[in-house]
Amino acid sequence: VTDAAGNVSTVSDTSTVIQIGYVESKSYNYYRNIELPVSLSYEMGNKNFKTAINAGVIINLASWYRGKVLDTSFQVVNVNPKENDGITKHSVGLSLYGSISFIKPINERADIFAEPYFRYSLSKLQNTAYNFSQRFSALGLTLGIRYKLNYRKQHY
């Protein structure tokens, strides 16, 4: 007999059975959010190159989770809170956000930019019944083109 921790015990009676094996399970987990970013930005530079510092919060308004994870006894449980044994709970969350933008104008109406960013979640996905707690953080790079819709010529 093999327990959840992987310890093998032999049980003897009029017959002896030893069973050793493993279970393989694959799960694709999905986390979807609707969020509202609130940030402040300070931009500096000239007409050839600009840099901006951005900081703020991201408010998680709604979340959807789907998939499976292992609990502390290595049993497969759903992460979806709508399932009977779902371990996550929907709640409003808050994250801190910071970035630095490097901006290169390509003409008077458009810029290209690269923005390395860091996001740190202040809120946790947690369920004390399953001893489950998870916090999201992200480090990334945003690349893009910014087009000025309401363009007015700037004088430097």
Side-chain angles (χ1 to χ4, degrees):
V1 177
T2 305
D3 65 11
N7 301 319
V8 177
S9 302
T10 303
V11 178
S12 297
D13 194 25
T14 55
S15 62
T16 302
V17 176
I18 298 175
Q19 182 179 357
I20 299 173
Y22 67 95
V23 174
E24 185 175 312
S25 177
K26 184 186 269 189
S27 176
Y28 295 97
N29 295 340
Y30 298 94
Y31 301 94
R32 293 186 175 100
N33 301 308
I34 294 177
E35 299 175 323
L36 175 66
V38 178
S39 66
L40 294 173
S41 180
Y42 180 75
E43 191 173 294
M44 59 205 129
N46 56 38
K47 64 181 178 178
N48 296 319
F49 185 79
K50 298 176 188 172
T51 303
I53 298 170
N54 310 297
V57 296
I58 300 172
I59 303 165
N60 181 5
L61 302 173
S63 301
W64 296 269
Y65 310 110
R66 191 176 78 204
K68 298 181 184 306
V69 295
L70 296 176
D71 68 4
T72 56
S73 63
F74 302 106
Q75 299 299 312
V76 177
V77 295
N78 289 317
V79 294
N80 186 342
K82 292 182 181 176
E83 302 287 334
N84 295 355
D85 57 350
I87 60 172
T88 59
K89 293 182 178 174
H90 293 293
S91 61
V92 174
L94 196 64
S95 297
L96 297 177
Y97 179 85
S99 67
I100 298 175
S101 297
F102 302 102
I103 306 159
K104 175 70 177 157
I106 48 179
N107 61 38
E108 291 182 345
R109 293 190 71 116
D111 302 328
I112 58 172
F113 69 92
E115 184 176 306
Y117 68 88
F118 179 72
R119 177 179 177 171
Y120 178 75
S121 177
L122 297 174
S123 307
K124 292 181 183 179
L125 287 174
Q126 63 184 11
N127 185 321
T128 54
Y130 286 98
N131 198 20
F132 175 82
S133 178
Q134 186 174 17
R135 183 186 307 258
F136 289 103
S137 296
L139 183 63
L141 177 66
T142 302
L143 302 172
I145 297 174
R146 183 169 61 181
Y147 185 75
K148 299 169 188 156
L149 296 174
N150 189 12
Y151 171 72
R152 292 185 195 143
K153 188 166 180 140
Q154 298 177 0
H155 299 282
Y156 292 94

